[in-house]
Amino acid sequence: MARSAPLFICQACGAQTRQFFGRCHGCGAWNTLVEQSGPAADGRRRRAAPEGAPARTGAGEKVAQAPGRPRRSESILMAVERPLQRLPSGFAEFDRVLGGGLVPGALVLVGGDPGIGKSTLLLQSAQALAAITSVLYVSAEESAQQVRLRWSRLAPPDAGAAEQPVGADGAVPAGAGLQLLAETDLELVLQELEALRPAVAIIDSIQALHDDQLSSAPGSVAQVRECAGALQRLAKRQDTALLLVGHVTKEGMLAGPKVLEHLVDAVLTFEGDRFASHRLLRAVKNRFGATHELGLFEMRDRGLAEVTNPSELFLGHDGPAAGTATIVACEGTRSLVVELQALVSTTSYASPRRTATGIGINRLHQILAVLEKHMGLPLSRFDCYLAVAGGLDVEEPAADLGVAAAVVASYRDLTLPAGTVLVGELGLGGQLRPVGQLELRLQEAARLGFRRAVVPRGSGLGAIAAGLDLQLLEAATVAEALVAGLGFDPAAD
């Protein structure tokens, strides 16, 4: 009998090797290779020649054969198209990020920092879904009593009276509510899923499940891969929408092998400042909807609540001030009016200090260099601090013009006129470049009462802006844009 060959698997990325190394060749991490038993190598196995392969004569000429026939595949035109009925999650913001609701048979991975509210979000969604369909909540990290205690705090006051008992024959009547299973054994979880056949199942969390057939510890690469694969096969077979809670590493990445993110249909990240009450739900990957969608929630004493007007979170309420500017950022199909705050002061060091919160620091360095080169402002002798109100991270280049306006306003100790928004990408030559979804941005600005918008020239939205009662100020360069926004040339002494 062939002897089992040793196999070393990286616990960080899942790379495999037959020899032990101190450093993984896949991700470069140190001391992450763990030995596991691999299948025996047998060099005598050969792949059989496919049937219908063209035979050859002694002279090497091919003999004509009958055309091949499929065994299990079929024409794409013959595939049965079933109507797609999405399940509402109970949160309109959650449905927006999912693309309209939960798709039967889909796997959704929800990741986030510890204590950010992942379990709270899914337990509240499970309670709402249980009113219309069958839901199974698998808790692998908490006992049933702990989940019930948290559910009692989050559920409506009359939720306890709405519970329905299980029938005498053991069958669960329709609309009986939420089923709870506190278990970490993968086999028992699969048996419960096959017996109950719920429309929606929630696993909290995938790193806490373990397969007895593997010798590695729960949360390891092999355990996470095998548990997720088994759950995926079962969910696809019986059309169960599966929500998986995933841990994150200290670097902020989803824990476990990268194959886990490829395996699921959607990857959502739940993030937010632990010192603030609002939470952001983003779609990083979504096979059934748009990516980079954004949902906003607020953490309250009875759980999470939706934010109906998200721009209120990122706008100041004290009126215009020196060094502030307002932009319209886009997250997916959602427009957000955001306030930027800048502080420019004389430096006390040989090298000026530059700090940015919510904006990439390299982006800030580029904007400061453009302002100094093309407007003659000696910003290299000043410290510069930039922050986005509300703790939002703005990554798109459409915020460049707002950053430049906030920096110049702080440098000159000026206040931009009230009701002004700035949208535009700043090029290294000082020119303004067009941005996407400009019409959507203008509509959001007009809805919140803004009356002036500084945008790149050539937008072609003059008629639409007039219909929105919005004065459109177009500019070709950053100097023209700042003159239009401030009312005079900030580079003039």
Side-chain angles (χ1 to χ4, degrees), residues 157-183:
D158 57 345
E163 296 180 1
Q164 300 181 16
V166 177
D169 57 351
V172 180
L178 179 62
Q179 297 295 117
L180 175 62
L181 174 65
E183 185 57 61

Side-chain angles (χ1 to χ4, degrees), residues 402-455:
V403 173
V407 169
V408 172
S410 178
Y411 174 74
R412 292 296 190 187
D413 198 18
L414 301 173
T415 300
L416 271 79
T420 302
V421 294
L422 303 101
V423 180
E425 179 183 355
L426 189 58
L428 295 181
Q431 70 276 16
L432 284 185
R433 299 182 181 275
V435 298
Q437 299 178 310
L438 185 57
E439 181 179 351
L440 192 64
R441 301 172 197 264
L442 296 180
Q443 292 175 354
E444 179 66 14
R447 186 183 70 84
L448 294 176
F450 289 88
R451 291 294 171 257
R452 301 171 73 241
V454 182
V455 299

Side-chain angles (χ1 to χ4, degrees), residues 120-329:
T120 300
L121 173 66
L122 295 183
L123 188 57
Q124 288 184 261
S125 295
Q127 176 62 28
L129 285 164
I132 58 175
T133 187
S134 57
V135 181
L136 174 63
Y137 190 98
V138 179
S139 175
E141 297 181 346
E142 300 175 283
S143 65
Q145 291 78 10
Q146 291 173 324
V147 177
R148 172 57 192 263
L149 182 64
R150 183 157 47 89
W151 174 83
S152 301
R153 177 176 59 87
L154 301 175
D158 57 345
E163 296 180 1
Q164 300 181 16
V166 177
D169 57 351
V172 180
L178 179 62
Q179 297 295 117
L180 175 62
L181 174 65
E183 185 57 61
T184 60
D185 192 337
L186 174 65
E187 187 62 30
L188 297 179
V189 172
L190 294 176
Q191 291 176 6
E192 185 68 17
L193 287 171
E194 291 178 346
L196 187 60
R197 301 184 69 87
V200 180
I202 299 172
I203 310 296
D204 187 8
S205 65
I206 186 63
Q207 277 83 6
L209 290 183
H210 69 90
D211 187 356
D212 289 337
Q213 302 298 323
L214 299 177
S215 59
S216 55
S220 62
V221 171
Q223 287 281 3
V224 172
R225 181 177 60 243
E226 293 301 324
C227 291
L231 290 169
Q232 186 248 10
R233 291 188 292 271
L234 180 63
K236 298 295 184 184
R237 186 168 65 248
Q238 60 187 31
D239 282 342
T240 297
L242 200 58
L243 293 165
L244 307 177
V245 176
H247 297 170
V248 296
T249 62
K250 60 183 179 181
E251 292 83 10
M253 305 297 294
L254 283 168
K258 201 68 176 178
V259 69
L260 177 62
E261 299 180 40
H262 295 286
L263 183 69
V264 300
D265 298 307
V267 179
L268 311 182
T269 60
F270 204 42
E271 56 193 43
D273 189 352
R274 58 183 300 184
F275 302 106
S277 61
H278 62 272
R279 302 288 187 266
L280 307 177
L281 184 66
R282 299 178 186 270
V284 179
K285 168 189 175 182
N286 194 352
R287 291 174 179 164
F288 306 108
T291 57
H292 299 291
E293 280 288 357
L294 181 69
L296 286 98
F297 300 85
E298 183 179 3
M299 183 65 76
R300 299 178 180 174
D301 56 345
R302 298 193 66 87
L304 290 164
E306 296 176 288
V307 178
T308 56
N309 189 7
S311 294
E312 293 180 351
L313 291 174
F314 312 112
L315 274 178
H317 301 282
D318 300 331
T324 62
T326 305
I327 65 170
V328 186

Side-chain angles (χ1 to χ4, degrees), residues 15-71:
Q16 300 180 5
T17 179
R18 293 292 182 182
Q19 183 179 356
F20 177 79
F21 296 98
R23 185 180 184 183
C24 173
H25 68 277
C27 63
W30 289 90
N31 301 323
T32 57
L33 293 178
V34 176
E35 182 179 0
Q36 295 184 9
S37 298
D42 189 356
R44 296 174 298 174
R45 297 183 60 183
R46 295 290 185 269
R47 179 177 297 178
E51 296 181 4
R56 295 177 181 271
T57 63
E61 298 178 355
K62 294 183 179 179
V63 178
Q65 298 288 335
R69 292 178 298 176
R71 289 186 175 181

Side-chain angles (χ1 to χ4, degrees), residues 456-472:
R457 182 172 297 171
S459 64
L461 299 177
I464 295 177
L468 296 173
D469 194 18
L470 193 66
Q471 182 184 3
L472 202 64

